[in-house]
Amino acid sequence: MLEPAYQVDVVIVGAGLAGLSAAHRLTSAGITTAVLEAAPYVGGRMSTEKVDGFRLDRAGQLLSTSYPELRLTPGLAELTVRRFAPGVLLHRDGRLQRAGAPALGGSARGARGALHAVRALAGTPRGTAARGTALRTTVLGSTALGGTAARATAARATTGRGTSVTPGRTGGAPVGGAVDQARLGAALGRLAATPVERVLARPELPAAQALARRGVPARTIDGFLRPLLAALLCDPELTTSSRCADLALRAFAGGRLCVPEGGAEALPQLLARALPPGTVHTGVRVTSVSTTSVATAEHGEIRCRAVLLATGARAAAELLPGLRVPDFHPVTVVHHTTDEPAEALPTGASLLLDADRGGPVAHTAVLSTVDPSRAPAGRVLISSTVLGPPPEGVDTAVRIHLARLYGTSTRRWETLAVHHTPEAVPAMRPPHDPRRPVRLLAGLYVCGDHRDTSTVQGALHSARRATSAILADLGATGSMHRADPAPVLPRAA
């Protein structure tokens, strides 16, 4: 027999990033909150598998240090991220070129900074790229190139078999010569300084069409922007709204690509641990919702004043028929290790993109160099991402492709895991509203990356919008001390 249902102010369905961050905002405002998660763990798609001391992300979504919500979300003050080397490495015709390490500012100063960086790249002796460095989200910010900073982001040494980093040469280079790189750097600097609302007011087309119409040189599109946007959006064909693509480029230009230290799961686990004890309940399957209650399969009914659906788009639509379910971009992440030392691989702490599109791998990195905590001491972790439906024999195809990208044999590499996520990232095809309504009616709300942009920033921002609506409807005006006990679910029958 069930105990009487506990009365709670707000029930949040889903313990992914959006649900957990919403719980922080509500509890800090004195709102009693229960987070219900059907899975046995928190985090949703941001999960990490442990294999023989390696920490292997299942989806491998990239973050940027410029995401505002990483520093604005309660509960993330202790988050440590590991940064990739500035910009990205592009592979084309057997050679690597660094590109996209922008200067701050879009004025003449920005153009001078970009040109200074290009000159530094062209003239700096080959050396070793900087290893990934820890960064607290309390000091997230942009990165300027100039002087010694520009030189620190210059070329990696010629290493491996037949693959070299030669950023100063133009023959076959993905981005072109010094003038092209200076223009690109200045454009990225201007974009980083453009307000978000101005970006969202631009005409909207599929990203691939918009790039072609803006007069960008074809070699810059094919050699840099297309592979970069594919990696940022998980969209190899660039069908994404041009506005959302511009937002992704803006985040890239304003900061550094990064990953959470210890794996993707570190972010949701940090949020969950910082909530009041007893707030999060895993292994609880919700079967129906209304404005005043939630029915569960194992624990009966929980009465409340409001319900926030913070699940994925498909699960939300199953509970509330009529909600839009977008298409999705599938993602496959393949993890390898090798006995070769990390120094034998030419990429250092860089994200490597394939500008040739010569195989299934969209981007790859020696993640143990970026974040040493992801591999046992002395071991190397190479993580590679395949966008779209994976080919048959995906591991074999990936190994062949990686041999070309890294310029070394991969026959003796050990496969640690192959993670395929069919619905990894909600598609954002035009017309796309990145501010989809989060208040369905008084007492019923929805949030998640499918209501905003399909990024960690979008998930967290949608939670901020949803909790603002809830607090306005419940009449809460600010933080207040709460000494009430945490919600206790009824025992299963």
Side-chain angles (χ1 to χ4, degrees):
M1 183 174 177
L2 292 176
E3 295 179 351
Y6 183 89
Q7 180 108 12
V8 61
D9 288 327
V10 177
V11 172
I12 298 175
V13 183
L17 285 188
L20 293 170
S21 59
H24 270 278
R25 295 186 180 280
L26 292 172
T27 56
S28 66
I31 303 298
T32 58
T33 303
V35 181
L36 310 182
E37 170 58 53
Y41 54 85
V42 301
R45 285 165 282 160
M46 293 199 73
S47 62
T48 303
E49 183 184 17
K50 289 84 170 176
V51 177
D52 297 333
F54 292 90
R55 304 178 69 85
L56 314 175
D57 286 351
R58 295 182 184 276
Q61 201 166 9
L62 299 168
L63 310 183
S64 172
T65 60
S66 66
Y67 283 170
E69 292 297 336
L70 286 181
R71 63 177 180 270
L72 297 175
T73 298
L76 291 183
E78 298 303 315
L79 175 66
T80 300
V81 297
R82 291 281 178 170
R83 299 181 292 178
F84 290 92
V88 292
L89 280 184
L90 297 160
H91 181 276
R92 191 162 201 173
D93 297 331
R95 292 171 36 221
L96 303 180
Q97 180 186 27
R98 186 175 303 284
L104 280 178
S107 60
R109 175 189 174 196
R112 286 196 300 271
L115 186 56
H116 184 92
V118 172
R119 286 171 177 161
L121 287 171
T124 301
R126 294 172 183 171
T128 302
R131 293 176 66 87
T133 53
L135 178 72
R136 290 282 178 182
T137 57
T138 52
V139 293
L140 293 179
S142 301
T143 302
L145 287 182
T148 56
R151 295 183 181 91
T153 66
R156 281 279 301 170
T158 300
T159 54
R161 300 179 187 140
T163 300
S164 60
V165 181
T166 54
R169 298 173 58 187
T170 61
V175 182
V179 173
D180 288 326
Q181 289 211 39
R183 289 171 177 165
L184 176 62
L188 288 173
R190 287 192 298 271
L191 184 57
T194 302
V196 170
E197 295 310 316
R198 282 185 57 189
V199 173
L200 295 179
R202 291 176 173 177
E204 187 177 28
L205 290 169
Q209 292 182 27
L211 289 174
R213 293 190 182 189
R214 289 176 183 173
V216 181
R219 65 187 171 196
T220 303
I221 294 176
D222 294 334
F224 174 63
L225 291 174
R226 179 179 287 277
L228 174 63
L229 283 171
L232 298 178
L233 302 168
C234 297
D235 176 11
E237 303 306 321
L238 298 191
T239 59
T240 296
S241 159
S242 56
R243 294 172 181 169
C244 297
D246 284 343
L247 288 177
L249 282 177
R250 181 181 182 274
F252 172 80
R256 288 267 285 276
L257 295 178
C258 61
V259 291
E261 184 180 70
E265 70 175 13
L267 206 160
Q269 287 186 351
L270 181 62
L271 286 172
R273 286 196 302 268
L275 285 168
T279 300
V280 179
H281 307 270
T282 57
V284 179
R285 186 166 58 90
V286 173
T287 57
S288 66
V289 299
S290 71
T291 58
T292 57
S293 68
V294 166
T296 69
E298 301 88 359
H299 301 278
E301 182 182 69
I302 303 167
R303 292 181 287 117
C304 55
R305 298 169 64 197
V307 174
L308 172 59
L309 284 182
T311 65
R314 192 172 302 281
E318 289 173 355
L319 290 171
L320 287 178
L323 282 182
R324 172 181 172 271
V325 179
D327 293 331
F328 294 89
H329 296 303
V331 172
T332 304
V333 183
V334 185
H335 301 279
H336 292 102
T337 187
T338 173
D339 292 332
E340 294 181 77
E343 293 74 21
L345 300 172
T347 56
S350 297
L351 185 71
L352 174 59
L353 311 180
D354 181 21
D356 289 328
R357 304 180 78 183
V361 176
H363 57 89
T364 181
V366 184
L367 269 190
S368 53
T369 301
V370 180
D371 177 9
S373 71
R374 294 181 180 233
R379 301 297 301 278
V380 175
L381 172 62
I382 303 105
S383 297
S384 309
T385 299
V386 176
L387 302 177
E392 268 190 62
V394 61
D395 183 47
T396 300
V398 165
R399 283 172 181 267
I400 293 171
H401 195 185
L402 292 178
R404 293 199 301 271
L405 293 177
Y406 286 102
T408 189
S409 173
T410 59
R411 284 177 297 185
R412 297 182 63 184
W413 287 16
E414 177 188 351
T415 302
L416 295 169
V418 178
H419 293 137
H420 178 63
T421 308
E423 297 186 352
V425 179
M428 299 183 288
R429 299 188 180 98
H432 179 79
D433 181 5
R435 301 292 183 267
R436 293 182 66 81
V438 291
R439 181 186 187 272
L440 304 180
L441 52 102
L444 194 56
Y445 311 84
V446 61
C447 67
D449 58 1
H450 53 97
R451 310 302 290 184
D452 208 283
T453 59
S454 302
T455 61
V456 167
Q457 165 68 18
L460 295 173
H461 188 256
S462 74
R464 171 194 287 270
R465 294 193 293 124
T467 52
S468 295
I470 292 170
L471 294 175
D473 285 347
L474 295 184
T477 56
S479 299
M480 61 187 81
H481 175 72
R482 179 174 68 84
D484 300 337
V488 177
L489 290 182
R491 290 196 299 268

